[in-house]
Amino acid sequence: MPNRRTETRHATPGNTCNHFQKYGMTCDDFDRLLARAAGRCELCETPEGETPRGALVIDHFQGDGLFFVRGLICDRCNSVMSRHDRSAAWGPASLPWADKARAYHLAAFEQPTPEEFEQADRYIASRRTYNVKDRHYIPVAPRAALVVRLDRSMTEAARKLRRHLTDRQRARLIELLSRPL
Ligand SMILES: [Zn+2]
Ligand SMILES: [Zn+2]
């Protein structure tokens, strides 16, 4: 059985390979993946040394109980795949890669069954991508210091506080003022 002590071929001495620790992939499987990628990003085909970080990463799909390694890709394509998986919304830079991302997904290294691919698609479709427009509006307290003169009318002080505090801050202030000393 492959274990932490046997799967060490691609790690520094005394360590277990990352592909085994994080993805449960044996050294033999990882060698097959390296051979398939042949030194290039499997999505955009950029040679490893010319990719933004100069290194390829293991990409996997995860969700709804599914977990499978798809391949070796560059950082840029990793973010394209997060669009494919709908954990982020497509943008002008990623959209031209949509078809290639799809083909790459379907050519996943750890070949899932057709049923598992369908399950993955249902899961992806059920996801709601994060969109700034949908963000719940949270009032932000003004950054500038607020000076309230207490040697003047209390009505004026209250009016000023009401204008500058959020509902939550106001409620908290009332609560604090109502506490026995
Ligand atoms: Zn290894
Ligand atoms: Zn790439």
Side-chain angles (χ1 to χ4, degrees), residues 10-161:
H10 307 90
T12 47
N15 291 307
T16 305
C17 289
N18 185 49
H19 58 75
F20 183 72
Q21 299 260 66
K22 278 181 79 179
Y23 306 97
M25 195 180 220
T26 64
C27 285
D28 287 348
D29 282 340
F30 188 61
D31 277 338
R32 276 189 277 275
L33 177 59
L34 286 173
R36 187 177 89 153
R40 288 167 181 269
C41 168
E42 293 197 273
L43 209 165
C44 69
E45 295 173 20
T46 304
E48 181 162 20
E50 294 166 29
T51 59
R53 255 202 240 168
L56 301 176
V57 294
I58 297 176
D59 161 62
H60 75 290
F61 175 84
Q62 188 170 4
D64 198 20
L66 295 170
F67 186 110
F68 53 87
V69 168
R70 284 188 293 213
L72 274 180
I73 57 176
C74 73
D75 270 350
R76 207 168 33 209
C77 290
N78 209 10
S79 79
V80 167
M81 290 318 290
S82 69
R83 270 72 186 172
H84 171 275
D85 297 343
R86 293 190 68 175
S87 39
W90 290 101
S94 54
L95 196 56
W97 292 94
D99 289 346
K100 283 211 164 169
R102 185 65 191 159
Y104 161 79
H105 171 85
L106 293 174
F109 180 77
E110 294 182 338
Q111 271 296 302
T113 63
E115 290 74 28
E116 285 169 333
F117 270 131
E118 279 170 27
Q119 189 188 339
D121 278 345
R122 276 196 304 275
Y123 175 71
I124 291 169
S126 74
R127 262 183 171 166
R128 219 169 151 269
T129 53
Y130 174 77
N131 195 324
V132 176
K133 286 203 297 280
D134 302 333
R135 207 179 114 172
H136 183 68
Y137 178 71
I138 303 159
V140 178
R143 277 164 202 275
L146 170 65
V147 179
V148 179
R149 299 280 305 260
L150 296 176
D151 57 346
R152 304 254 176 101
S153 127
M154 281 299 121
T155 314
E156 196 186 308
R159 195 177 297 139
K160 200 164 180 184
L161 282 170

